[in-house]
Amino acid sequence: MFRITSSCFLAFALASAGCAHVPTEKERQGSEIHYDLGVQAQQHGHVQDALAEYQKALELNPGNPEAHNAVGLLLHLSFRRLDEASAHYEKALTLRPSFSDARTNLGNLRLDQGRYDDAIKLYEESLNDMQYRHGYSAQGNLGWALYKKGDTANAVQNIKAAITTNPDFCLGYKNLGIIYDETGKTEEACRQFAHYREKCPEVAEAYQREGVCQAKLGRVEEAKKAFAGCEAKAQSNEQVLKDDCRSLLDHL
């Protein structure tokens, strides 16, 4: 005769398809260990190893919201598997509704998909979390989503607020520079790209954008200096950017 143990009665009642496994304390600890190993691998640029560790973490404890968020980030940014990434972000939020990092990451994914209204809603929800440490990121990306929708004034206001909160927010300076450049305010665009380069001196793109901007204003020496900086800072995986900066430098 089949008997339902008390430990799995609730799972049986809810799922009506057998007994759902509840992770043991050892499995939860193992999940945290594999998550930490994934973080370390990711910090060293080993994205495949990181993904493998995060997946092991979820095998041991499918209810680990940090691991779901981490898998979502890799699938989103490194592998461009957006539907799968979305499912992991959403699962993280189901497990922890107050998980503002996952909510902002999901907003970033919706932004990449061109679903600007959905992205704006998610960013605004993150900004309502008074304890969210990375609110500047949500506000800066909220500004970019507003710009993509055509609301330039509120876009600039939000990105400037993000930079005020975190003066080292490189993406904010970059996006302000793009907005000013695309709206014909080249002088201001150059100032923002210069801030981008100052705050992120190891990012080759910052030099490239500043150089193009200075060239538009006819400032040849400043543009040459920026393109030379771009060429020097370009990483081994940025050969196209390096070649572009060399070509722009040669044409000045």
Side-chain angles (χ1 to χ4, degrees):
M1 178 178 176
F2 179 71
R3 297 177 63 189
I4 303 173
T5 64
S6 59
S7 62
C8 87
F9 176 78
L10 180 58
F12 181 87
L14 293 174
S16 69
C19 180
H21 175 68
V22 177
T24 65
E25 181 61 27
K26 182 178 179 180
E27 286 171 327
R28 285 194 292 269
Q29 290 176 355
S31 179
E32 293 300 323
I33 290 170
H34 282 292
Y35 170 77
D36 291 339
L37 289 172
V39 171
Q40 293 175 26
Q42 191 171 352
Q43 288 173 342
H44 288 88
H46 304 146
V47 293
Q48 287 86 1
D49 292 341
L51 182 60
E53 294 294 344
Y54 293 143
Q55 288 173 333
K56 289 175 184 175
L58 289 176
E59 288 170 9
L60 289 169
N61 180 13
N64 185 331
E66 287 87 357
H68 278 290
N69 181 56
V71 171
L73 268 174
L74 284 182
L75 292 173
H76 175 193
L77 301 178
S78 298
F79 298 97
R80 305 305 296 173
R81 292 164 66 167
L82 302 189
D83 289 342
E84 293 174 58
S86 177
H88 280 283
Y89 289 147
E90 290 170 349
K91 182 63 175 178
L93 286 168
T94 298
L95 293 166
R96 184 187 297 165
S98 63
F99 199 172
S100 293
D101 279 326
R103 182 169 287 104
T104 297
N105 290 336
L106 181 58
N108 296 341
L109 189 149
R110 297 292 180 244
L111 181 61
D112 285 350
Q113 293 174 319
R115 295 169 56 177
Y116 303 126
D117 288 330
D118 291 338
I120 288 168
K121 182 176 183 294
L122 289 161
Y123 293 140
E124 289 175 340
E125 289 174 357
S126 291
L127 288 169
N128 284 332
D129 179 359
M130 300 300 292
Q131 295 182 325
Y132 183 35
R133 296 175 300 166
H134 303 121
Y136 65 87
S137 177
Q139 187 153 30
N141 288 341
L142 168 62
W144 187 247
L146 288 167
Y147 176 65
K148 299 300 285 186
K149 281 198 68 180
D151 189 351
T152 302
N154 279 324
V156 169
Q157 181 180 344
N158 276 279
I159 297 173
K160 284 184 174 180
I163 290 170
T164 299
T165 302
N166 180 7
D168 295 324
F169 183 38
C170 296
L171 181 60
Y173 297 112
K174 171 185 171 180
N175 285 345
L176 276 180
I178 293 171
I179 291 172
Y180 285 127
D181 186 44
E182 291 181 351
T183 54
K185 299 177 181 178
T186 311
E187 186 78 43
E188 185 57 37
C190 289
R191 274 195 287 270
Q192 297 302 328
F193 289 138
H195 289 318
Y196 178 28
R197 185 252 309 154
E198 290 163 1
K199 297 298 184 180
C200 291
E202 300 304 315
V203 177
E205 184 203 23
Y207 294 83
Q208 186 255 5
R209 287 190 177 275
E210 183 183 12
V212 170
C213 193
Q214 296 289 7
K216 286 182 179 180
L217 293 175
R219 298 171 181 167
V220 176
E221 292 307 313
E222 289 89 340
K224 284 183 176 179
K225 183 178 179 181
F227 291 138
C230 168
E231 188 178 17
K233 296 293 184 179
Q235 302 296 312
S236 58
N237 63 343
E238 296 178 310
Q239 189 61 46
V240 173
L241 178 60
K242 185 173 185 176
D243 292 344
D244 182 53
C245 288
R246 166 47 61 182
S247 177
L248 288 166
L249 182 58
D250 290 342
H251 280 84
L252 285 175

